[in-house]
């Protein structure tokens, strides 16, 4: 077969491991030819590509980023480009396309698939918010990076007798906050799925200081929000470039906690370090397995599916199911964590 | 309730996280009293214990080892001790015992449970060989440590144009070898479940050098064995202390490969570094969840079970099922790894 | 002897290693009694202290933070407290005081020393800005943490074709920026010692994109400033709590670079993760040696000095020299780094 | 200028950082042409080389190993090859040769230099045993890797109530043992410079158990030896391939300690993981500075020297001085470590 592969959306540790796995399994097991489209969907729409051989993927397993580049393309641009994509594939003799990406990418993959392109998707997101798969690669690395940072911040918080409010990634879901918070023993965890009440959070922290503890760590997902009307909230103002000034959740929360508790509080925004760099062993294994199964699916003609981890096995799930809804943190998991406010 | 907890068997990252979780959930959510038995079953048999409070478990979440100590006790000694254990529990007013341990510990737990002790087991093994649970805590840390070591060894193998034969833990199963080998891109993986043929292994490595590659990495589980009669095998001889001299699989394999290939080959035995130290974020979360669910099970009276991860949820599985058979690497996983010889 | 020890100022990896070393050397080699003052100078001024035994320092070598706590005390408060400090020491029979701290602490130490207190200081700062010592413990850890973050950020910058402007610690000196920038291969480094010209920086980055490079990493110390009048600079405005809104160098620089280059640019502020957590092996060794030599100095009566690394040896330097001036990055080091703008 | 560069001897983290630095400084600052000889001296003797451009060294700063390959060449072979080396250099128009290597390499460099080749050496050894330089790159990485392993082993030793005897690299000098042992808080350190007495070592460990401590860590350099006649010592016997069976210091010591103390003791041999993989930030900075100064030295015509770190500065030291004697651990450092037996 001739298989095209592309990576789309934000950076995510494990992308190169998938690419490598697709090339290894395709070339070695099936004698396939693998073609890489450059810079995500753009490469498919504009026909920019290059051959991927065993040599091209040598040494990339543990590398962060993607050797194929990525980009974000407007959905409208994608809709208009379906016919061009099909034409490029026909011209190149492509028998299967493996897009690796997050929710947006998989929606685009569904669009392409519905239009007749032979697609097998590989889900990717550090946020772990794709339904149908127990977990996505990149998530374990993000949680590990956040946990290491939290481990470090604890000693400083304790030495300085402070509240640290640490913002981790997660615009719509709190998976990273939940797992990093649990792993690091955070004293409160705030997630987007459940608007928090500032009074309750203040009580949790105050009660801790009352027990003679010298510090507190609050982990919040970047998309977390207070219950409307329960705490002052400063809308972003524009700076001289027209950008909104940063007034994120961690900053506002730390100011308010400092004000209420009379204890020093500091915001820390972990930011992009969570989404780049070498993947953990866990993510490399998962990404490699996804790549292997995507190639197998292509050879079985199981198009219109994505690979998904269910228990210990990789299954194929229809694209439609995969993008139907966001996987949010269920209430049961809050109870286990106990510290989700 | 009054809950006793003990850790038994070999060291495993995450033991302290379970202990801490049991104490937190018991004390905070249920007002339980938690008692720790010292040095595993020995503490229960001899009635050596101490109270575990929130303060006793402060700061141990990320610490390797076990604050309760561990020991290995003879099965016969355990059988003889059942009545004494029951008596100690009665004297102490213990309503539930939570033993945390591997296969041997869970067999002992079944023995105690069958004799009427109210037991909820928590499975623990870096080897990942316990049936009924997708994974055990400690395994991810072991794989991570082995993968980091393999990452480092690759550059030396390449600079020196060598074969490196790296022995990882796994006496009966090849899970660590499989996952670390996949994560690090090993060129051959040898597991106990499948005796290897030295001719085939030699061919795989030779073929690699024929493709102008400068090095090769072979990962073998400590319990891996050649097909009988296919390669010279030196039985251990005794040293002056009566100990067997070390002639493990990696050493013998590297000698034979060097002999056959005419290339430098070196054994590296990773050893105990795989089973100690701070747990990964993944293992801390899993261990914490196990602890939480063990306490819940005790409060529901669901004795005679162990906690188990199935998909994304923690389930309770009868002790009998858990120890019925070892979880070995299934053939399907060999195919994904491709490099399992 | 009876030796008092205290830690003062910001958190710094290695503080516990010094404390442990002082106790080990004092107790084991000299039969000293060691007393720890709580929360820095405050403990000395208010006479809050506790005995430090071999058991009290067991297991703290690799721990971040300080078991003695820290605080920041106003200089005026210190000046007023000299007599009280002397009285407390007399009452306790203290023969030597070992304060571990940064520039402010060492100035306070000099004040106390001039007033007759028998003081041996141990320099501490992640910023590496203390004269007379080649390096201070904590610095290597800070550089390591920043370098790991930069390694991770590079793959994201490359995948997204962005400029990343990464702010590291260093209010007055650029040592962390210099070393982390060199270690991670940053494309431009901005330090407080040398106001940068935005035109030159823009040129360096633009020239890189002209060579078809897909991304650029700019490392800036938090205290770095543009040459006055060369780029727009927005003074901080107050938020509703009276705090200044954060408009640090990385944020302003990334906005301006994005505006000038027409490329996406993103600020990342590494923050407190650089100053906490487990120290590197390098810092543990240096901290341990400082502790050993501080005790030796006390026994030799060499008061009024600090320990200092010079080459491979630990020397004693008069307190007055140590605090005379800040150690800034010399011009020669810019030339080596080449990328200091 | 036209500058040739080569890497020789064992793998060492930072080699690629030196190569990259030489290319960057040569090409960017001076408009030099840089040529890489393949596989160490062999490339120079046999004239195997390739051009090194900015693109060839892109992304190698943090990579272990050496993109130029390495090899070990017999001294006699080198002596016979001097004229050929000079001829190759003349043919290629080489104005300076920068060999990067350890003691053997620098001796070869002196030979070449004495014969008229324009040589600037860069010292490299994870063992830190080269005189005239405070430290060599690779050493900090080796110590870090060993320290991390020791940190992990401690929890296992404690859980199992064992003595762990950990063998680190260092055939002739004990620098890695000393620093890793200090950094990890080992209870005894054994170095080649000072033959140990088994009675004294046993006493140190026994005294620790007498104080109710549950474990002990002994760190030994691979080249450490007992005082002759003080403990049984088993000479290696040959295996079926004619290789000596491994009966290293850690194995023999752990057997003897177990025999004497009646406590479980286990050997752990850290091996090659100490010499490969990504360099620490410290080593990357040092390697980069060495590269920069080697190019400067070449342009100044300061041949016959090596780069050396002295305090915070890079100096040039005559090759003769550099290879005159091995830098061993001085007695003063034993005293600081206290635990050197």
């Amino acid at each position: 077969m001739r298989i095209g592969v592309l990576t789309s959306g934000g950076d995510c540790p494990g992308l190169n491991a998938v690419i490598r796995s697709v090339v290894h399994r395709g070339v070695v097991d099936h004698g396939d030819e693998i073609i890489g489209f450059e810079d995500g969907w753009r490469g498919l729409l504009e026909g920019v590509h290059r051959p991927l051989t065993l040599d091209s993927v040598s040494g990339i397993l543990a590398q962060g980023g993607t050797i194929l580049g990525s980009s974000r393309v407007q959905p409208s641009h994608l809709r208009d480009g379906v016919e061009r994509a099909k034409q490029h594939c026909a011209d190149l003799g492509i028998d299967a396309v493996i897009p690796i990406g997050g929710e947006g990418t998989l929606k685009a993959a569904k669009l392409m698939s519905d239009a007749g392109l032979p697609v097998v998707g590989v889900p990717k997101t550090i946020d772990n918010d794709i339904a149908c798969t127990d977990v996505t690669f990149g998530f374990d690395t993000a949680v590990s990076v956040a946990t290491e940072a939290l481990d470090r911040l604890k000693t400083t918080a304790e030495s300085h007798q402070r509240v640290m409010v640490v913002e981790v990634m997660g615009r719509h879901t709190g998976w990273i906050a939940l797992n990093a918070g649990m792993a690091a023993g955070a004293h409160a965890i705030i997630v987007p799925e459940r608007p928090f009440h500032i009074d309750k959070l203040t009580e949790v922290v105050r009660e801790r200081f009352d027990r003679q503890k010298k510090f507190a760590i609050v982990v919040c997902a970047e998309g977390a929000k207070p219950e409307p009307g329960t705490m002052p909230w400063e809308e972003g103002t524009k700076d001289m470039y027209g950008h909104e000034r940063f007034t994120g959740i961690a900053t506002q929360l730390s100011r308010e906690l400092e004000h209420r508790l009379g204890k020093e509080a500091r915001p820390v925004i972990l930011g992009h370090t969570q989404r780049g760099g070498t993947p953990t062993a866990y993510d490399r294994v998962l990404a490699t397995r996804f790549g292997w199964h995507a190639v197998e699916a292509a050879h079985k003609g199981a198009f219109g599916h994505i690979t998904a981890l269910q228990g210990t096995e990789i299954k194929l799930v229809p694209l439609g199911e995969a993008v139907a809804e966001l996987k949010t943190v269920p209430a049961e998991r809050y109870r286990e964590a106990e510290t989700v406010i």
Side-chain angles (χ1 to χ4, degrees), chain A:
Chain A
M1 287 181 90
R2 207 153 217 246
I3 298 176
V5 61
L6 63 87
T7 54
S8 179
D11 193 19
C12 180
L15 288 170
N16 281 328
V18 182
I19 297 169
R20 174 183 173 276
S21 181
V22 166
V23 173
H24 273 234
R25 297 289 52 79
V27 172
V28 176
D29 294 355
H30 298 285
D32 295 336
E33 266 181 280
I34 314 293
I35 280 173
F37 291 106
E38 309 261 354
D39 296 334
W41 292 109
R42 191 192 297 160
L44 179 58
L45 298 187
E46 301 175 6
V48 187
H49 59 88
R50 58 176 156 136
L52 291 177
T53 63
L54 291 178
D55 272 350
S56 351
V57 298
S58 180
I60 68 169
L61 170 56
Q63 281 178 15
T66 160
I67 58 166
L68 290 176
S70 182
S71 65
R72 295 180 197 268
V73 176
Q74 297 301 324
S76 63
H77 190 55
L78 271 166
R79 273 192 302 275
D80 299 347
V82 173
E83 288 311 310
R84 248 182 312 144
K86 286 172 70 176
Q87 191 56 49
H88 284 307
C89 286
D91 293 350
L92 287 163
I94 297 275
D95 303 302
V97 175
I98 299 178
I100 310 164
E103 204 213 349
T105 303
L106 298 182
K107 280 189 176 150
K110 181 155 191 331
L111 189 84
M112 296 282 175
S113 176
D114 290 347
L117 213 71
V119 170
V120 181
V122 172
K124 170 232 77 162
T125 162
I126 62 160
D127 291 330
N128 195 34
D129 58 3
I130 292 179
C132 306
T133 184
D134 287 355
V135 67
T136 41
F137 65 86
F139 174 64
D140 188 64
T141 305
V143 170
S144 295
V145 169
T147 301
E148 277 179 43
L150 288 165
D151 283 352
R152 289 203 171 273
L153 291 169
K154 277 178 113 163
T155 77
T156 300
E158 186 164 17
S159 304
H160 295 202
Q161 312 195 16
R162 272 184 192 161
V163 182
M164 288 280 189
V165 183
V166 186
E167 186 173 312
V168 298
M169 287 198 161
R171 224 163 272 183
H172 305 294
T173 61
W175 288 105
I176 295 176
L178 179 80
N179 277 28
M182 258 178 119
H187 309 108
I189 300 173
I190 316 278
V191 296
E193 289 91 336
R194 181 189 264 199
F196 66 93
H197 198 297
I198 184 69
D199 292 348
K200 192 176 162 207
L201 176 62
T202 309
E203 258 340 277
V204 166
V205 178
R206 190 197 311 276
E207 184 271 347
R208 194 174 146 78
F209 282 107
D210 287 348
R211 282 188 291 121
Q212 309 307 318
K213 296 292 182 178
K214 289 184 153 183
F215 72 107
I217 302 282
V218 177
V219 174
C220 57
E222 59 184 325
K225 284 271 157 49
E227 286 184 30
T230 60
M231 75 173 252
W233 191 263
E234 188 165 27
E235 291 307 320
T237 54
K238 303 282 187 194
D239 67 13
M240 73 182 86
Y241 304 96
H243 275 281
E244 205 163 295
R245 271 195 206 84
F246 188 70
T247 50
I249 175 69
T251 307
Q252 304 219 24
L253 207 42
S254 71
R255 300 296 187 231
E256 182 70 17
L257 285 172
E258 185 168 301
H259 176 70
R260 285 166 169 246
L261 292 162
K263 292 269 176 191
E264 270 193 7
R266 289 284 182 281
V268 178
I269 294 122
L270 294 186
H272 290 82
T273 48
Q274 295 164 81
R275 70 175 323 127
T278 193
T280 59
Y282 183 96
D283 280 338
R284 297 190 210 170
V285 170
L286 182 57
T288 299
R289 295 182 73 194
F290 274 0
W292 191 88
H293 282 272
V295 171
E296 292 305 293
H299 278 274
K300 283 181 194 149
F303 298 113
H305 288 81
I306 67 161
T307 56
L309 179 71
Q310 295 186 351
T312 59
E313 299 193 13
I314 310 294
K315 306 280 192 185
L316 294 176
V317 175
L319 270 166
E321 277 182 46
V323 299
E325 52 174 334
L326 220 57
K327 183 174 66 177
T328 53
V329 180
E332 166 73 11
R333 295 297 302 274
Y334 296 152
R335 289 178 50 224
E336 290 172 12
E338 151 221 32
T339 43
V340 178
I341 302 303

